[in-house]
Each structure stands twice: as C-alpha cells, then as structure tokens.
Amino acid sequence: DSGVTQTPKHLITATGQRVTLRCSPRSGDLSVYWYQQSLDQGLQFLIHYYNGEERAKGNILERFSAQQFPDLHSELNLSSLELGDSALYFCASSVATVSPGDEQYFGPGTRLTVT
Amino acid sequence: LAKTTQPISMDSYEGQEVNITCSHNNIATNDYITWYQQFPSQGPRFIIQGYKTKVTNEVASLFIPADRKSSTLSLPRVSLSDTAVYYCLVGDYKLSFGAGTTVTVRA
C-alpha cells in the first residue's frame, strides 16, 4: 500500500459525459501527479500540482482539467468523453516538487470505461 | 530531453539473475536514472535510483558506467512474483514512462 488513495476504482460512463476522479496523496506529500495509461500509449504524464499550484503539463487534452485543493487532495475532471479516453488513470504523490528523479508513490488507479 | 531504449521483453527462470539494460545516449549532466516496476492493473512502484557507478538496495542493483549513456538494472535470484513491467526513466517524470520491459519469470 503506497498511501495514495484514488476513487472510484472503476467508472463506466457514456460518450459525451463528464467525470471526476479523486486522489488523496500520502500524508505530508505536497506534489500530486496524474497519469493516463492506455494499451496503445503506455503510461503518459498528464499534469503536476505542487501545494495547490500547477507546475507542469504533459499530454493533457483541453477537455481534461485538474486542481489541487488546500487539503492537498486533487481531482481530475474529464469532459466530453470519447471512446479513446478509456484507460487507467493513476495519481502519484511525492514529498516536494520534483527535482529530477524524485520518488513518486502511485495510487491503485481508476479504470475508466467509456461506452 | 533524454530518450531511453530498453528491450521490449525478457524471459527468465526462478533463481536466476535478470539484467535489463537501458540506453540513454543524450542523458544530461543533472539527470538521474530511475527504475520503476509495475504489476498488471497496479500503479508503478519505485525500485531504485542512481546517478553514477553502482547503487544497491534490498531489491535490486543499478550499474551505471562512467559515460552514463546506459544503465543496467540487476534483479538477483528472481521469483515468479518478479514478473512485471520494468521502466527506465532518465530525468524527470514529464518524459513519461515509455513501453518498459516485460520480464516474465518461469518456474
């Protein structure tokens, strides 16, 4: 158990809908990262928040957005869902801002299925 | 940004040592090398990290030659439970994890 929690574990929804994925980092960790893992794309970095502020963006679509709240939990919002958004979404946390190679602790993931 | 190349898959047997080499020819001076392990439908788990020479922990060893253009993750005496995907990262997370190396350990 990494100490990172994600809810829900599974989510099935229809195209065009909007969903919110939630992540609680390990106690004391200020950084939260979101990743998407699909069969054909591997594990792709989406976005990084540190202590409530966005720090870096990766291959995140404009239909997706995220935020980190004062209690440090984070939410990833996915809207206008398409079939291709079906994937495993992981949240990870680390102690501080990522200097090259900071160890990240990953949550169990949320499996999103868009039908 | 440093790009990594590692084998797609490797097979081994229980009790053997598994060595996975990752190539990173354009590694930057301040880049660290980090390896993660991922089991199916689980999040990746940090294994080991190094900058140069050799690093060892209770799980693995990481060998980095002087030119740092490659690195080798060594898993001693693997068991069936070591069957997983192993990712080599150079630099920071924004590079994403790539395809990794699928290691299959057989009895």
Side-chain angles (χ1 to χ4, degrees), chain B residues 36-61:
Chain B
Y36 281 81
Q37 174 193 57
Q38 186 180 26
F39 298 112
S41 297
Q42 293 186 26
R45 183 176 71 103
F46 174 93
I47 301 175
I48 197 166
Q49 180 181 93
Y51 183 78
K52 61 180 178 180
T53 64
K54 177 184 174 182
V55 180
T56 298
N57 62 21
E58 65 278 5
V59 176
S61 294

Side-chain angles (χ1 to χ4, degrees), chain A residues 98-104, chain B residues 30-34 36 46 49 89-93:
Chain A
V98 175
S99 61
D102 265 10
E103 179 177 352
Q104 296 180 52
Chain B
N30 63 344
D31 283 343
Y32 278 74
I33 300 156
T34 311
Y36 281 81
F46 174 93
Q49 180 181 93
L89 273 77
V90 171
D92 66 34
Y93 55 94

Side-chain angles (χ1 to χ4, degrees), chain B residues 67-104:
Chain B
D67 66 5
R68 303 201 329 120
K69 292 183 184 300
S70 67
S71 58
T72 299
L73 175 72
S74 180
L75 306 172
R77 298 179 299 282
V78 293
S79 64
L80 296 176
S81 63
D82 292 315
T83 294
V85 179
Y86 293 82
Y87 298 96
C88 165
L89 273 77
V90 171
D92 66 34
Y93 55 94
K94 295 189 289 294
L95 300 174
S96 291
F97 280 56
T101 297
T102 299
V103 172
T104 303

Side-chain angles (χ1 to χ4, degrees), chain A residues 22-76:
Chain A
R22 182 188 169 101
C23 169
S24 293
R26 290 189 323 153
S27 176
D29 284 359
L30 300 179
S31 274
V32 169
Y33 318 83
W34 286 96
Y35 292 84
Q36 178 193 56
Q37 186 169 40
S38 55
L39 282 175
D40 58 347
Q41 292 289 326
L43 192 62
Q44 299 287 319
F45 165 71
L46 295 178
I47 198 164
H48 168 209
Y49 276 84
Y50 172 74
N51 203 22
E53 293 187 5
E54 181 186 304
R55 281 302 178 102
K57 269 187 175 179
N59 299 318
I60 188 166
L61 300 172
E62 286 191 11
R63 300 183 285 110
F64 296 0
S65 65
Q67 53 185 328
Q68 185 180 27
F69 295 88
D71 67 353
L72 300 177
H73 91 271
S74 178
E75 293 180 356
L76 179 67

Side-chain angles (χ1 to χ4, degrees), chain A residues 5-31:
Chain A
T5 60
Q6 290 187 247
T7 56
K9 197 164 188 174
H10 301 278
L11 199 49
I12 301 174
T13 188
T15 54
Q17 296 298 304
R18 173 190 169 95
V19 297
T20 297
L21 312 184
R22 182 188 169 101
C23 169
S24 293
R26 290 189 323 153
S27 176
D29 284 359
L30 300 179
S31 274

